[in-house]
Amino acid sequence: MQRRNVVVMSSLLALLSGGAATWVAVTGHGLAYYFGDEEIEAEVLKDPSEFVKVGPMQLVVRGQNGRNYRIMLNMNLELVDPNNKVKVYKMLPRLRDAYLRELFGVPMAANGEWRADEMDSVKARLLGQSNQVMGSNMIANVVIQQAIAIPDPR
């Protein structure tokens, strides 16, 4: 009996989700349309951002406790113009070099973490380096996806 209920519920769920997907595909309206967020939906569809992945980076920073930490960063660069993607890819080695030079030895909190206000400062410094290397009309934003601090064993 339980197995039959599971099969019936799974079939019903598949039918409903398939019907909802078909409705969105046919009408072109997502949930935002029905909840009054048409402007937000139109804005998102009108202005898709283009990103370039920088790839993982490692650097050493010094904590306020005098201990060194290895920071692993994963980040993306948001482009001003999607047509500049190839130019940015070609300049990634110079950008990575500028980022490492800018952040090497940056002090951290005593517990080995960057606070939120420090992360904003790091993003601003990276964007400044991006503008120096690429020019101010290429990179709109530096988006940090992940930052991991590992105590240096030495």
Side-chain angles (χ1 to χ4, degrees):
M1 185 68 179
Q2 285 182 346
R3 183 176 176 180
R4 190 170 121 201
N5 287 342
V6 170
V7 170
V8 169
M9 294 303 284
S10 298
S11 300
L12 185 60
L13 180 63
L15 179 67
L16 289 175
S17 63
T22 303
W23 176 259
V24 170
V26 169
T27 63
H29 300 302
L31 290 177
Y33 177 79
Y34 297 103
F35 293 109
D37 294 335
E38 304 91 24
E39 298 87 21
I40 295 171
E41 185 175 328
E43 186 68 27
V44 168
L45 293 176
K46 180 180 74 174
D47 186 25
S49 295
E50 188 72 32
F51 294 91
V52 170
K53 185 173 182 162
V54 175
M57 292 178 55
Q58 284 191 29
L59 60 137
V60 176
V61 296
R62 181 170 299 277
Q64 291 175 351
N65 58 2
R67 188 169 186 185
N68 287 339
Y69 292 87
R70 291 178 192 252
I71 302 294
M72 294 172 39
L73 287 175
N74 282 319
M75 62 187 138
N76 292 325
L77 303 175
E78 186 176 6
L79 304 181
V80 171
D81 182 7
N83 296 327
N84 292 332
K85 194 169 191 172
V86 174
K87 292 178 187 175
V88 174
Y89 271 119
K90 287 182 180 179
M91 294 297 285
L92 273 179
R94 287 189 182 172
L95 283 170
R96 290 174 62 87
D97 176 64
Y99 295 162
L100 289 173
R101 289 173 185 268
E102 179 68 21
L103 295 180
F104 186 80
V106 170
M108 299 172 51
N111 62 358
E113 296 177 0
W114 278 335
R115 297 185 314 260
D117 58 336
E118 291 168 337
M119 288 298 283
D120 291 340
S121 170
V122 167
K123 286 177 66 165
R125 292 173 74 169
L126 293 175
L127 185 58
Q129 289 299 311
S130 300
N131 291 340
Q132 280 187 338
V133 172
M134 299 295 301
S136 61
N137 58 348
M138 297 286 279
I139 307 296
N141 193 15
V142 175
V143 181
I144 298 176
Q145 300 292 306
Q146 187 177 35
I148 300 172
I150 302 168
D152 197 8
R154 291 180 250 169

